[in-house]
């Protein structure tokens, strides 16, 4: 049996509302809110980046289960905003959680699904007996060019998962990935902001990949949508996951508990992993969860999980997603631009 | 800052690892290689501090060097760790809410960087200890 031994998340306290971004660019905020089903998004502090967010999430994961960091044999960080082009974020995190030096570590990149790819890598190493625990993190300070539609959603946050065979809070029954070369979203080396194919990011990218991975996983495991209590999909906005759920035959009661994008935004590599954390915060032993990530470029990783009795021991040990979203500090566009380094002097 | 010096500071900055004298029980942060009380009779070992503590005194920085100019105004404080040693650190909060005696907890942040192409320094800052932020 393999699965999640612990999890932790982190979300910066700053927020900017859709109305404030729309005011600057002359957009109609109601159209944006209705179109994207998003009200506000998180913004990193001036001294926060993907590494600091990953460290806070990782420390919350360790705190939740009192894991000895020296037993973590691999730390993998998925992000598309690693602070260095060359020098791993993973070594910073491994050092900061006290897991060094007897471990392996690496940074993963696959747009918004690098964190779930890291979970799969940990699953392989744990299954093979190479390591006792592996830590997989998805963390981003997402980029969206000023005035681009992405600016309404590109947010900051992350979640960390400790994968192991012992002390599980959720068993991972199986995983399935679906990957093709689909150029729906990209950022060239040295460029500050990504570009995307507009509507092309929908049908041939997000919907095709999540649908294929999810259907194939359910076929492999022998389940149908009604067998799951919760379903989590990558959340680039509020609309896509809801439509995806409907297309696959899931109902709103299954997807709503993990749908946190309207008050958080799209945390890229953190997105589906924070959604899963929100579900684990409230899931009961025996609950079944299906999670499918999506990374542009493009691919999806789907996971079928069942929550174990161990989940009850972890309550209250680390902040929940609801607690992390509580008491936001709202900032205006000028301060947001300063926080995001959009003002260059 | 020279890379070698930065690297030597990583254990102290990331995880508040200081030292303890096993002879007199003295606790030190930043770490000392020699016990100032026991001198050559002292026996120094590593000691990790929890990072929770309280504000002894503080100042608000309005005029900073170029590295910190974007962050002004910010709070620089002397913090007494629960175990006893005192250290200087930044408190991430609204300057108006800072009080002497305020309880704080550690957070992991960027401390600075050598320009846009140099090394980034990470380490511990502090934030007010609130019930919700366990």
């Amino acid at each position: 049996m393999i699965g999640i031994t612990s999890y932790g998340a982190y979300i910066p306290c700053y927020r900017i509302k859709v109305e404030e971004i729309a005011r600057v660019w002359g957009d109609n905020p109601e159209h944006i809110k209705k179109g994207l089903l998003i009200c506000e998004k998180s913004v990193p502090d001036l001294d926060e980046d993907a590494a600091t967010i990953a460290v806070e999430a990782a420390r919350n994961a360790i705190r939740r289960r009192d894991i000895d960091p020296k037993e973590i044999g691999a730390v993998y960080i998925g992000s598309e905003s690693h602070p260095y082009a060359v020098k791993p974020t993973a070594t910073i995190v491994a050092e900061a959680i006290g897991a060094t030096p007897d471990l392996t570590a690496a940074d993963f990149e696959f747009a918004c699904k690098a964190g779930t790819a890291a979970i799969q890598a940990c699953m392989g190493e744990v299954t093979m007996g190479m390591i006792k625990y592996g830590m997989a993190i998805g963390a981003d300070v997402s980029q969206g060019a000023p005035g681009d539609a992405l600016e309404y959603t590109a947010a900051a946050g992350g979640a960390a998962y400790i994968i192991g065979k012992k002390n599980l809070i959720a068993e991972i029954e199986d995983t399935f990935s679906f990957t093709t070369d689909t150029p729906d979203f990209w950022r060239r080396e040295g460029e500050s902001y990504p570009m995307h194919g507009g509507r092309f990011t929908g049908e041939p990218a997000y919907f095709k990949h999540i649908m294929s991975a999810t259907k194939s996983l359910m076929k492999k495991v022998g389940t149908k949508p009604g067998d799951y209590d919760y379903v989590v999909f990558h959340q680039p906005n509020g609309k896509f996951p809801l439509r995806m759920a409907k297309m696959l035959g899931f109902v709103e009661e299954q997807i709503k508990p993990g749908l946190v994008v309207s008050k958080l935004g799209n945390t890229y590599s953190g997105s589906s992993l924070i959604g899963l954390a929100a579900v684990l915060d409230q899931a009961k032993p025996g609950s079944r969860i299906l999670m499918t990530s999506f990374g542009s470029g493009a691919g999806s990783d789907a996971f079928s999980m069942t929550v174990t009795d161990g989940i009850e021991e972890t309550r209250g040990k680390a902040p929940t997603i609801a607690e992390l979203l509580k008491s936001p500090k709202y900032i205006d566009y000028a301060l947001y631009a300063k926080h995001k380094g959009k003002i260059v002097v | 800052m020279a890379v070698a010096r930065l690297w030597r500071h990583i254990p102290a900055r990331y995880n508040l690892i200081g030292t303890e004298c096993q002879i007199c029980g003295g606790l030190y942060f930043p770490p000392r290689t020699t016990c100032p009380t026991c001198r050559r009779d002292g026996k120094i070992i590593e000691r990790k501090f929890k990072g929770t503590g309280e504000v002894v005194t503080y100042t608000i920085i309005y005029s900073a060097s170029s590295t910190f100019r974007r962050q002004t105004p910010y709070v620089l404080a002397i913090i007494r760790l629960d175990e006893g040693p005192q250290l200087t650190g930044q408190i991430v909060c609204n300057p108006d809410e800072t009080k002497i005696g305020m309880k704080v907890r550690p957070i992991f942040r960027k401390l600075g960087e050598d320009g846009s192409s140099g090394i980034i320094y990470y380490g511990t800052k502090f934030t007010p200890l609130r019930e919700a932020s366990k």
Side-chain angles (χ1 to χ4, degrees):
Chain A
M1 201 156 89
I2 187 164
I4 298 167
T5 296
S6 188
Y7 69 100
Y10 177 76
I11 297 165
C13 68
Y14 292 98
R15 302 284 183 280
I16 185 166
K17 286 180 180 284
V18 161
E19 285 84 351
E20 178 61 11
I21 300 173
R23 180 183 68 82
V24 171
W25 298 110
D27 292 331
N28 182 332
E30 295 311 315
H31 286 174
I32 305 284
K33 286 165 84 170
K34 207 174 151 196
L36 299 175
L37 296 181
I38 184 163
C39 308
E40 59 198 53
K41 66 166 191 173
S42 63
V43 180
D45 205 343
L46 289 157
D47 53 4
E48 289 184 306
D49 61 17
T52 66
I53 288 170
V55 168
E56 293 289 348
R59 285 179 172 172
N60 280 333
I62 287 171
R63 201 170 286 146
R64 187 182 300 280
R65 210 65 159 120
D66 261 339
I67 300 267
D68 177 359
K70 297 289 183 203
E71 293 188 328
I72 296 172
V75 171
Y76 297 131
I77 321 273
S79 181
E80 50 182 278
S81 50
H82 289 292
Y84 290 96
V86 178
K87 196 211 162 297
T89 310
T91 55
I92 299 167
V93 176
E95 195 79 48
I97 61 171
T100 51
D102 296 334
L103 84 163
T104 184
D107 288 359
F108 280 36
E109 284 186 24
F110 194 147
C112 299
K113 85 156 188 83
T116 55
I119 290 181
Q120 290 175 328
C122 288
M123 286 174 66
E125 289 177 37
V126 170
T127 304
M128 286 293 289
M130 291 167 67
I131 57 173
K132 183 174 182 184
Y133 295 121
M135 178 177 271
I137 303 176
D140 257 305
V141 283
S142 313
Q143 309 298 333
D148 189 285
L150 279 180
E151 207 180 19
Y152 287 103
T153 53
Y161 285 81
I162 299 176
I163 305 300
K165 282 184 179 172
K166 285 187 175 171
N167 303 318
L168 299 185
I169 58 168
E171 181 193 354
I172 302 176
E173 289 124 16
D174 217 331
T175 176
F176 191 94
S177 296
F178 183 86
T179 309
T180 70
D181 185 358
T182 305
D184 59 315
F185 175 107
W186 62 92
R187 180 167 62 83
R188 294 280 299 273
E189 187 67 47
E191 293 294 315
S192 300
Y193 300 109
M195 294 185 73
H196 54 86
R199 285 181 176 274
F200 186 73
T201 59
E203 293 305 331
Y206 180 91
F207 293 103
K208 177 183 164 186
H209 289 78
I210 292 186
M211 177 171 281
S212 303
T214 306
K215 276 186 172 174
S216 296
L217 175 75
M218 287 194 291
K219 192 175 169 195
K220 198 176 166 195
V221 182
T223 50
K224 49 188 189 308
D227 295 332
Y228 292 96
D229 299 282
Y230 303 98
V231 63
V232 179
F233 297 132
H234 173 53
Q235 305 170 19
N237 54 56
K239 211 166 193 172
F240 275 23
L242 282 173
R243 183 153 34 121
M244 187 76 264
K246 202 173 171 188
M247 286 164 75
L248 279 162
F250 292 95
V251 295
E252 282 202 6
E253 290 71 34
Q254 289 167 292
I255 194 156
K256 280 279 174 73
L259 199 60
V260 292
V261 63
S262 72
K263 294 276 184 189
L264 170 64
N266 178 6
T267 53
Y268 287 24
S269 300
S271 175
S272 51
L273 295 182
I274 291 178
L276 176 61
V279 164
L280 290 171
D281 286 342
Q282 52 193 289
K284 299 277 180 289
S287 295
R288 296 197 80 177
I289 305 169
L290 189 147
M291 173 187 69
T292 309
S293 63
F294 171 72
S296 290
S300 280
D301 303 324
F303 299 81
S304 178
M305 292 166 260
T306 301
V307 176
T308 70
D309 294 341
I311 192 106
E312 299 297 353
E313 298 163 27
T314 69
R315 307 281 188 210
K317 300 267 181 70
T320 63
I321 299 301
E323 284 165 350
L324 290 167
L325 286 171
K326 221 162 52 184
S327 317
K329 292 179 182 170
Y330 290 102
I331 54 176
D332 63 12
Y333 193 90
L335 269 177
Y336 159 74
K338 183 180 166 189
H339 276 233
K340 290 292 292 171
K342 294 185 188 217
I343 301 174
V344 180
V345 288
Chain B
M1 187 187 289
V3 170
R5 188 176 161 209
L6 163 86
W7 171 72
R8 278 196 295 275
H9 286 160
I10 283 179
R13 286 186 166 179
Y14 285 19
N15 285 311
L16 296 175
I17 292 174
T19 48
E20 174 181 353
C21 175
Q22 284 189 306
I23 304 301
C24 69
L27 301 173
Y28 306 107
F29 191 92
R32 283 175 178 269
T33 50
T34 308
C35 175
T37 308
C38 305
R39 314 283 291 188
R40 71 181 61 179
D41 295 328
K43 193 172 176 219
I44 291 284
I45 57 163
E46 276 189 359
R47 165 73 184 248
K48 185 178 188 301
F49 297 102
K50 285 183 298 176
T52 45
E54 68 173 50
V55 174
V56 176
T57 186
Y58 68 94
T59 185
I60 300 170
I61 307 289
Y62 290 95
S63 179
S65 63
S66 57
T67 310
F68 301 99
R69 195 168 292 152
R70 292 172 77 93
Q71 295 181 44
T72 57
Y74 63 89
V75 181
L76 206 56
I78 293 175
I79 294 138
R80 183 183 298 113
L81 298 171
D82 289 343
E83 297 92 338
Q86 296 188 171
L87 57 91
T88 306
Q90 191 177 329
I91 302 185
V92 178
C93 68
N94 185 337
D96 297 340
E97 65 175 304
T98 317
K99 301 272 183 295
I100 288 172
M102 183 170 80
K103 301 281 184 199
V104 293
R105 67 179 176 93
I107 51 175
F108 192 81
R109 296 288 174 112
K110 258 168 83 167
L111 300 182
E113 59 189 9
D114 277 344
S116 60
S117 59
I119 203 88
I120 304 170
Y121 324 138
Y122 293 95
T124 304
K125 292 186 181 180
F126 297 86
T127 196
L129 183 67
R130 296 190 181 94
E131 202 49 42
S133 47
K134 290 160 205 170

